Every structure is written in C-alpha cells, then in structure tokens.
Amino acid sequence: MMTLDSDAETLRLAALRDDLAQALAARTDRPGFVDLALVPGAPPKLWVDLVTHVVMEPTPRVYRVVQDRASGKAIMFESADRESVKARLLDLVAHRMVDRERVLVATSGTKTEPGYSGAALALAWISGFAIGV
C-alpha cells in the first residue's frame, strides 16, 4: 500500500508531467517524440525517455532528474522548483530532437555504395576493344 509521502510524490510528478505535456504540445511538430510515463511505486518515477527519469529525492519536495548510463546512474540536476525542472527538461528534449534531426539528415542524403559513371564504363569498353583489335 502506498504511503502519504508516496501519494504526494506521485501527485507532484503528475503535475510536472502535465506541465511538460502542455509545453511539448505547443513547441514540437512531432507529438510522439517524447512519451512521458508516470510509473507509481516506491519511489514513483516520471520517465521522460528510455534512459532519463524524475524522482522525488532526497526529500518529497525535491525533483531529481536521473539518467541511466552504462557506468551507472548519473544525477543530471535537482531542484525544489517545478518550473526550473520543467525548463531544464524542455532543454534536454530540445537537444535530443536536434541530435535526432542531425542523424536523420546525415543518413538520408548520402550514398555509401561506390558507383561507376557512364563515361568511365564507355572508356573501359573502348580501351578493351582497342587492345583486342
């Protein structure tokens, strides 16, 4: 059964999720880019993406943004002010969107297979014909 602290933490994270969802809906042309998932439990977590989540630690009034990395968990930032956490998370999402766009642009227009031009093929055919004669 959930405790009062856990209920308060869940409500604070739900308020942050609603603020983020509203801000993201107004700023992005890709509504499904970020999936904000509130997972109740001990402690409740607000997942921003696959590796970043928000928990209410070390006290039930402090928002802590944690990122899971290969080397372990890293605390990105923490604050008791919901607006400053919202602003930092929006910056984080913006950076992720820019990185994703750079990857898409870099991979969409480049050709990785080497090819031969028509002139090179014609020159090879003429050279082979001349040597053969």
Side-chain angles (χ1 to χ4, degrees):
M1 182 161 185
M2 296 179 76
T3 64
L4 289 177
D5 283 343
S6 182
D7 289 340
E9 292 171 2
T10 303
L11 288 174
R12 285 187 178 100
L13 289 173
L16 177 63
R17 179 195 61 202
D18 294 342
D19 289 349
L20 286 170
Q22 184 179 15
L24 288 171
R27 292 185 182 186
T28 181
D29 57 346
R30 293 196 170 94
F33 183 75
V34 176
D35 187 23
L36 300 170
L38 181 59
V39 180
K45 296 178 182 179
L46 173 63
W47 287 92
V48 179
D49 57 27
L50 292 176
V51 295
T52 308
H53 64 275
V54 182
V55 292
M56 303 301 294
E57 289 181 352
T59 67
R61 296 187 184 271
V62 176
Y63 298 90
R64 178 180 282 175
V65 179
V66 180
Q67 193 172 57
D68 295 330
R69 297 182 178 168
S71 60
K73 293 185 180 193
I75 298 172
M76 302 296 289
F77 53 90
E78 60 185 30
S79 174
D81 181 33
R82 188 171 77 210
E83 287 299 317
S84 67
V85 172
K86 178 180 120 179
R88 296 283 300 266
L89 286 172
L90 289 174
D91 286 344
L92 180 86
V93 169
H95 286 289
R96 296 267 168 100
M97 289 178 75
V98 169
D99 289 343
R100 183 172 183 261
E101 289 296 323
R102 285 181 182 159
V103 168
L104 289 175
V105 168
T107 59
S108 66
T110 58
K111 192 175 173 185
T112 58
E113 298 177 16
Y116 298 103
S117 68
L121 290 174
L123 181 61
W125 186 82
I126 292 171
S127 298
F129 180 75
I131 291 173
V133 169

